[in-house]
Structure formats: C-alpha cells, structure tokens
Amino acid sequence: MADSIADNLLEVRQRVEQAAAKAGRKSDDCELLVVSKTWPADKVAEVANAGQLSFGENKVQEAEGKVPALPDNLCWHLIGHLQRNKVRKALPLFDVIHSIDSLKLARYTSNIATELKLKPQVYLQVNIAGEESKNGYSVEDLRRDYDDLLGLQGLQIQGLMCIPPAAKTPEDARPWFAALRELRDELEQRGGHTLPGLSMGMSGDYPVAIEEGSTIVRVGSAIFGHRNYH
Ligand SMILES: *Cc1c(COP(=O)(O)O)cnc(C)c1O
C-alpha cells in the first residue's frame, strides 16, 4: 500500500461523511473507531497524531501492553469476545465494551464495574444471522433478557453491535445491518430506555452500514493495511 496511514485515515473519514450525506444523516452522528488490533503502539501513535482519539482492540492482553504506551487522552473500545476471567483486567483499560452477549456476563461485568467505581458504556453483541460459529446474543435470547439487562446499575447500555456473515460484496451485508436497526427499534419501543447506538460496519462495508443507521463503524485494515494475523 503506497498511501500513508494518515492518508488512509483522511480517506476513510471522507467516505464516512459521504455515506452519511447520502443517507441524509449528519456525519457527527457516525463515529469512526479505528481498529488497532495486531498493530504495535508506534503505528497506533501515527493515527493518534493525525487526530484520531478512539481505538478498538479485540484482546485484553494485547491492550494491556499497548494502552499504557500511548497518550492517556485516547479512548479504548473492546470489540472482541470478553471472557469472564478477563473482566477485572478489561474494565480499567476500556471505556466501551462492544461484546456483551449474555445476561450472566452482563451481571458479572456490572458487579465488578460497580466494585471498581466504573460504569462502562456497553453494546450488546447480536448474532444477527444466527450463525453457529459466532459469538453474540441470539435475537430471541436478547428479547428475553433485555429488561433485566436494563436493570444493571454498573453498565450504560448504548445499543447493539453485530458482525454480519462474511460476504462477497458490501451490499450482501445490508439486510443484516437493517435487521439490527429494526431489532434496536423494536427494543426501544418497549419504552423505558433509548438505545441510540448501532456498532456495525467494518473496512469492507462501512458505507453501507452508515446508510443503514450505524452510529459507530469499526475500521482496521482500510487504515493500517492488511493484518498478518488475527
Ligand atoms: C478486526 C475487527 C474489525 C475491523 O476489521 P477490518 O476489516 O480490518 O476493518 C471490526 N470489528 C471487529 C469485531 C473486529 O474483530
């Protein structure tokens, strides 16, 4: 890739704005989260120096090494699966967790957060296509648990997150993004709580996700180039 990381960042920002404009949305309503997993702190610092403040990591252990090596005004999001035995380590590192996918994990995380006097923002991860191999709430289980989730005092529930099935074209992902938005609308209509956030869209499909209502896109390789490992 000939372009610099800073050029890539600029280009992604422009595409976010274009997609928002096309959908008649304000670009402020769609946040860019830069996914820095697998990239060393010095690469992440290049993006931070270009003005990017929020970064996504998928492993607690990797973040433990990286977060302290970078400026402390950055905001860190956990986008990977959260294991119960990592909750206590994860909470002080991450401001936002995108991967809460059971009532049990939510309760436990809420309790530890309260103990640590923290109140993370969370997204409820939904296995929107019902794929067997994927983490995330099934739609039915989320409908069942939703009211209990709202009662947890240690969490600020922002909205829903999904990773749609691998697709050949960005358009293939559109129905899944729309389905997540519709599920969000349905849960909101129960009343009692707004659910403003939709964490959806990655390098291959973020403009489509924005057209379907995404409020935060998680973009890695379009900025850093291809990862050699996951
Ligand atoms: C790796 C990852 C991304 C970013 O993927 P790219 O295709 O590199 O943009 C987004 N979301 C999650 C949950 C990821 O694990």
Side-chain angles (χ1 to χ4, degrees):
M1 211 184 270
D3 290 348
S4 75
I5 287 179
D7 290 340
N8 293 342
L9 178 68
L10 205 63
E11 192 184 319
V12 171
R13 289 202 172 288
Q14 283 167 351
R15 287 188 69 197
V16 166
E17 274 175 36
Q18 284 162 6
K22 185 176 166 194
R25 302 179 58 205
K26 286 182 290 181
S27 56
D28 287 357
D29 293 344
C30 193
E31 186 186 346
L32 171 63
L33 177 68
V34 171
V35 175
S36 50
K37 68 186 185 195
T38 78
W39 297 101
D42 61 330
K43 288 271 181 207
V44 184
E46 279 183 49
V47 185
N49 289 337
Q52 175 68 27
L53 294 176
S54 52
F55 292 91
E57 289 285 332
N58 67 336
K59 292 193 175 122
V60 175
Q61 202 174 345
E62 190 179 333
E64 266 188 301
K66 228 179 272 185
V67 173
L70 283 151
D72 56 14
N73 64 332
L74 303 183
C75 180
W76 294 91
H77 295 228
L78 179 65
I79 59 171
H81 183 60
L82 177 58
Q83 285 168 292
R84 186 185 167 93
N85 64 1
K86 297 280 169 64
V87 169
R88 197 174 281 278
K89 273 190 179 164
L91 283 171
L93 293 168
F94 293 102
D95 307 283
V96 188
I97 299 172
H98 291 240
S99 49
I100 294 292
D101 62 0
S102 74
L103 184 56
K104 202 171 153 197
L105 178 65
R107 277 205 180 110
Y108 185 72
T109 305
S110 175
N111 289 342
I112 304 290
T114 304
E115 189 190 309
L116 299 176
K117 299 194 165 56
L118 295 168
K119 195 165 181 179
Q121 295 181 25
V122 306
Y123 292 84
L124 305 168
Q125 183 174 352
V126 183
N127 183 357
I128 193 71
E131 291 172 281
E132 221 153 78
S133 59
K134 238 171 218 172
N135 291 316
Y137 252 117
S138 71
V139 172
E140 285 149 60
D141 289 356
L142 179 57
R143 284 186 178 125
R144 179 197 63 205
D145 289 352
Y146 183 64
D147 294 326
D148 290 330
L149 288 162
L150 292 184
L152 298 173
Q153 297 301 310
L155 307 179
Q156 306 178 60
I157 297 182
Q158 293 298 299
L160 308 181
M161 178 273 212
C162 77
I163 307 171
K168 287 210 183 66
T169 75
E171 282 302 320
D172 293 340
R174 188 185 294 277
W176 302 118
F177 294 144
L180 194 72
R181 183 192 65 233
E182 283 159 17
L183 179 62
R184 187 276 308 273
D185 293 346
E186 174 199 314
L187 293 171
E188 252 187 355
Q189 275 160 18
R190 288 195 194 177
H193 192 79
T194 57
L195 215 47
L198 284 174
S199 167
M200 57 190 199
M202 318 202 320
S203 291
D205 55 21
Y206 66 91
V208 173
I210 291 168
E211 287 171 32
E212 294 300 329
S214 174
T215 61
I216 179 164
V217 292
R218 311 176 307 265
V219 178
S221 46
I223 286 161
F224 287 103
H226 287 290
R227 289 178 294 274
N228 290 322
Y229 60 99
H230 286 267

Coordinates of all heavy atoms in Angstrom, one line a residue, residues 35 37 58 79-80 161 163 201-204 218-222 227 230, ligand 1:
V35 N -9.7 0.4 14.4 CA -9.3 -0.9 15.0 C -7.8 -1.2 14.9 O -7.3 -1.4 13.8 CB -10.1 -2.1 14.3 CG1 -9.7 -3.4 14.9 CG2 -11.6 -1.9 14.6
K37 N -6.0 -3.6 16.5 CA -5.5 -4.9 16.9 C -4.4 -5.4 16.0 O -4.4 -5.1 14.8 CB -6.7 -5.9 16.9 CG -7.2 -6.2 15.5 CD -8.5 -7.1 15.5 CE -8.9 -7.4 14.1 NZ -10.2 -8.0 14.0
N58 N -9.2 -6.2 20.2 CA -10.0 -7.4 20.4 C -9.5 -8.3 21.5 O -10.2 -9.2 21.9 CB -10.3 -8.1 19.1 CG -9.0 -8.8 18.6 OD1 -7.9 -8.4 18.9 ND2 -9.2 -9.8 17.8
I79 N -13.6 -4.7 21.3 CA -14.5 -5.2 20.3 C -14.5 -6.7 20.2 O -15.3 -7.3 19.5 CB -14.2 -4.6 18.9 CG1 -12.7 -5.0 18.5 CG2 -14.4 -3.1 18.9 CD1 -12.4 -4.6 17.1
G80 N -13.6 -7.4 20.9 CA -13.5 -8.9 20.8 C -14.3 -9.5 22.0 O -14.7 -8.8 22.9
M161 N -24.6 -4.3 18.7 CA -23.4 -4.5 17.8 C -23.6 -5.8 17.0 O -24.2 -6.7 17.5 CB -22.2 -4.6 18.7 CG -20.9 -4.8 17.9 SD -20.5 -6.6 17.7 CE -18.7 -6.5 17.7
I163 N -21.6 -8.4 13.8 CA -20.6 -8.7 12.7 C -21.4 -9.6 11.8 O -21.6 -10.8 12.1 CB -19.4 -9.5 13.3 CG1 -18.8 -8.8 14.5 CG2 -18.4 -9.8 12.2 CD1 -17.7 -9.6 15.2
G201 N -20.4 -2.2 10.8 CA -19.7 -1.8 9.6 C -18.2 -1.9 9.9 O -17.7 -1.5 10.9
M202 N -17.4 -2.5 8.9 CA -16.0 -2.7 9.0 C -15.4 -2.2 7.7 O -16.1 -1.7 6.8 CB -15.7 -4.2 9.3 CG -16.6 -4.8 10.3 SD -16.1 -6.2 11.3 CE -15.2 -7.2 10.1
S203 N -14.1 -2.5 7.5 CA -13.5 -1.9 6.3 C -14.2 -2.2 5.0 O -14.3 -1.4 4.1 CB -12.0 -2.4 6.1 OG -11.2 -1.9 7.2
G204 N -14.7 -3.4 4.9 CA -15.4 -3.8 3.6 C -16.8 -3.3 3.3 O -17.2 -3.3 2.2
R218 N -16.3 0.3 12.8 CA -15.1 -0.3 13.4 C -14.2 -0.6 12.2 O -14.3 -1.7 11.5 CB -15.4 -1.5 14.2 CG -16.5 -1.4 15.2 CD -16.8 -2.7 15.9 NE -17.0 -3.8 15.0 CZ -18.2 -4.2 14.6 NH1 -19.4 -3.6 15.1 NH2 -18.4 -5.2 13.8
V219 N -13.2 0.2 11.9 CA -12.4 0.1 10.7 C -10.9 -0.1 11.0 O -10.3 0.7 11.7 CB -12.6 1.4 9.8 CG1 -11.8 1.3 8.5 CG2 -14.1 1.5 9.4
G220 N -10.4 -1.2 10.5 CA -9.0 -1.5 10.7 C -8.2 -1.5 9.5 O -7.4 -0.6 9.2
S221 N -8.3 -2.5 8.6 CA -7.4 -2.7 7.5 C -7.5 -1.6 6.5 O -6.5 -1.3 5.8 CB -7.6 -4.1 6.9 OG -9.0 -4.4 6.7
A222 N -8.6 -0.9 6.4 CA -8.7 0.2 5.4 C -7.7 1.4 5.9 O -7.4 2.3 5.1 CB -10.1 0.8 5.3
R227 N -3.7 -7.1 8.0 CA -3.1 -7.7 9.1 C -2.5 -9.1 8.7 O -3.0 -9.8 7.9 CB -4.1 -8.0 10.2 CG -4.6 -6.8 10.9 CD -5.7 -7.1 12.0 NE -6.9 -7.7 11.3 CZ -7.9 -7.0 10.9 NH1 -7.8 -5.6 11.0 NH2 -8.9 -7.5 10.3
H230 N -4.5 -12.7 13.3 CA -5.7 -12.1 14.0 C -5.6 -12.2 15.5 O -5.0 -13.1 16.0 CB -7.0 -12.9 13.6 CG -7.4 -12.5 12.2 ND1 -8.3 -11.5 11.9 CD2 -7.0 -12.9 11.0 CE1 -8.4 -11.4 10.6 NE2 -7.7 -12.2 10.0
Ligands
LIG1 C1 -11.0 -6.9 13.3 C2 -12.3 -6.4 13.6 C3 -12.8 -5.2 12.9 C4 -12.1 -4.5 11.8 O1 -12.0 -5.3 10.7 P1 -11.4 -4.6 9.3 O2 -12.0 -5.5 8.3 O3 -9.9 -4.7 9.4 O4 -11.9 -3.2 9.2 C5 -14.1 -4.8 13.3 N1 -14.8 -5.4 14.2 C6 -14.4 -6.5 14.9 C7 -15.2 -7.1 15.9 C8 -13.1 -7.0 14.6 O5 -12.7 -8.1 15.3

